[in-house]
Amino acid sequence: MTIFIQPSALAVQTTYIVGAGGTYRPFEYENSNKELEGFDIDLIKAIAHVEGFQVQLVNTPWEGIFATLDNGDRDIIISGITITEKRKQSVDFSLPYFPAEQVIVGQKGTEITSIASLKDKIVGVVNGSTGDIVISTVLGRNNTAIRRFDNTPLLLQELYEEGIDAAVGDVGVVKFYIKMHPGKAFDLVYDNAFEPQYFGIAVEKGNTDLKNKIDAGLKKIIVDGTYHKIYEKWFDSNTPKLPIDIE
């Protein structure tokens, strides 16, 4: 008896090795089982699903993460990577998938409306962060009104306890903290003076086929609502509008 097998049954899905850091909660971090999870992890899995490929996740330290594309150890890296012109010279980026903007955090009912209104306030930042750089420019690097903290949880706890008047930090990290601490109410204040920045998924320079797959998958999960569900899981229901043309 002759058995006919449909061609699709013979198809083997391509597996791409994905590098992601394990220390940038909530984008990628190791859980108690030493498995990577986070917004970025859910996102790349969703893209892989709609594009019909598999991913093998590998915890990859930030230092040297770009080199793993050059030497072939990784096919994709997704690790809260801000798209910059300098980085575009060595890797190819997907379409932007997350607005990596800074946000001002005030106590509930704050009268703070902009960066300019921070000049007479005690402002907290994470030491060495983008927020630190921005506020140091506005208030002066050695201004004693700037309080520097080791991480965002410490920063926002101090704000909650009214030890500082406002904080400036990465919007994703701030939103995740607020989601995890529903009893602590804050107001978020956006200012166009913050330079717009976005995270992108990186592939080896010249790997247009893989980049196109990722871009196509990202568009699909935006259209079908998957992106919104992932965003809501980690942050809130205010899904950002990305600078992507959806046909």
Side-chain angles (χ1 to χ4, degrees):
M1 180 177 64
T2 303
I3 299 176
F4 293 96
I5 300 176
Q6 295 293 331
S8 60
L10 298 174
V12 177
Q13 289 186 322
T14 301
T15 298
Y16 294 109
I17 301 175
V18 179
T23 58
Y24 188 31
R25 191 184 298 259
F27 292 95
E28 47 275 320
Y29 62 95
E30 275 194 347
N31 60 26
S32 58
N33 295 321
K34 298 297 182 180
E35 299 169 334
L36 285 170
E37 64 176 274
F39 176 83
D40 284 357
I41 306 305
D42 287 350
L43 187 82
I44 194 62
K45 286 181 178 179
I47 290 172
H49 176 73
V50 297
E51 283 301 299
F53 61 83
Q54 298 286 331
V55 291
Q56 178 185 339
L57 297 162
V58 181
N59 192 338
T60 307
W62 176 257
E63 293 180 4
I65 196 169
F66 292 99
T68 64
L69 291 177
D70 293 334
N71 61 30
D73 287 341
R74 308 286 185 273
D75 301 301
I76 299 168
I77 53 175
I78 181 168
S79 197
I81 304 169
T82 303
I83 300 171
T84 66
E85 291 303 316
K86 182 177 181 180
R87 288 173 179 164
K88 285 181 180 179
Q89 295 174 16
S90 57
V91 301
D92 282 341
F93 279 107
S94 69
L95 293 168
Y97 72 85
F98 190 90
E101 59 192 332
Q102 297 295 296
V103 66
I104 301 167
V105 191
Q107 294 153 3
K108 197 66 177 176
T110 182
E111 296 180 355
I112 294 168
T113 58
S114 66
I115 292 178
S117 61
L118 296 176
K119 290 186 177 179
D120 297 321
K121 306 293 183 182
I122 299 174
V123 184
V125 296
V126 173
N127 190 30
S129 67
T130 301
D132 188 357
I133 295 169
V134 172
I135 296 306
S136 293
T137 300
V138 174
L139 303 183
R141 173 68 189 174
N142 298 319
N143 193 321
T144 56
I146 301 175
R147 304 288 169 78
R148 295 179 172 88
F149 297 82
D150 289 337
N151 55 57
T152 300
L154 289 175
L155 167 64
L156 295 183
Q157 180 63 29
E158 186 72 4
L159 176 62
Y160 178 72
E161 294 175 357
E162 300 185 358
I164 54 178
D165 298 314
V168 175
D170 295 342
V171 65
V173 180
V174 168
K175 281 191 170 188
F176 178 70
Y177 178 90
I178 292 172
K179 187 177 183 69
M180 294 295 102
H181 300 82
K184 298 178 181 179
F186 298 108
D187 282 341
L188 302 187
V189 180
Y190 297 85
D191 191 314
N192 291 333
F194 290 126
E195 180 185 356
Q197 293 182 314
Y198 293 90
F199 289 159
I201 302 166
V203 300
E204 183 182 14
K205 192 74 177 174
N207 194 344
T208 305
D209 180 63
L210 182 51
K211 169 185 155 46
N212 289 342
K213 282 183 184 180
I214 294 170
D215 287 346
L218 177 59
K219 289 182 178 182
K220 288 175 184 175
I221 66 172
I222 290 173
V223 171
D224 71 13
T226 301
Y227 181 93
H228 172 75
K229 291 178 181 177
I230 296 172
Y231 189 91
E232 189 172 40
K233 171 185 174 181
W234 292 100
F235 306 110
D236 56 34
S237 60
N238 299 317
T239 309
K241 181 174 176 54
L242 299 170
I244 297 176
D245 292 328
I246 305 294
E247 299 175 357

